Amino acid sequence: MPPQRSGDQLIYRRAENGELVGYTPAEYGVRKDDGGGMVKPVNSSGGLLFLAVFVSLLAGGVVYGITRIAIDGTWEILGEVWWVVPAGIFVPVAAWYGYLKERRAEKLRKVRNLPRPVD
């Protein structure tokens, strides 16, 4: 059995069953609230996996585009859309990081038999 955590190290949130539960930062995972936005964010591990795979496919399109630019010798196009390259690297890395963080949190919650936080 893991040692008990002190109250200042826990994040208290409502669980799926409505109960107030204390989670460690690792057990909490990715942010669960909507951040005040109009669109509810994806924060389940299945949804995050879908997004990570999807943006990885889009990053593959970026690699294909850069390859075509190199083959065709049209480097001036890259000067106009240079921002696509860092986005094509950063977005998939961030998506996979979020997925892995939530997947790890799910495993830790399962060990302590904690419900999933909803906010």
Side-chain angles (χ1 to χ4, degrees):
M1 178 175 256
Q4 294 297 324
R5 306 283 181 175
S6 66
D8 60 342
Q9 295 176 337
L10 297 178
I11 301 169
Y12 290 93
R13 296 290 188 258
R14 295 252 176 246
E16 289 177 323
N17 58 9
E19 176 185 356
L20 191 62
V21 179
Y23 300 95
T24 64
E27 291 169 340
Y28 183 67
V30 298
R31 186 174 165 180
K32 304 292 191 277
D33 64 349
D34 62 4
M38 294 177 62
V39 178
K40 186 171 170 71
V42 174
N43 54 29
S44 67
S45 63
L48 291 170
L49 176 62
F50 171 77
L51 288 177
V53 169
F54 181 71
V55 297
S56 294
L57 290 173
L58 292 178
V62 170
V63 170
Y64 173 75
I66 292 172
T67 304
R68 291 303 308 169
I69 288 171
I71 291 171
D72 296 341
T74 54
W75 294 103
E76 64 277 358
I77 295 173
L78 194 56
E80 296 172 9
V81 293
W82 63 269
W83 56 270
V84 174
V85 175
I89 296 169
F90 174 74
V91 173
V93 168
W96 283 106
Y97 173 77
Y99 166 70
L100 293 173
K101 183 177 180 180
E102 183 61 24
R103 187 71 182 121
R104 179 173 178 251
E106 279 183 352
K107 289 180 181 181
L108 292 173
R109 288 192 300 262
K110 187 175 181 180
V111 167
R112 283 190 49 206
N113 199 22
L114 294 174
R116 184 178 182 275
V118 293
D119 64 349

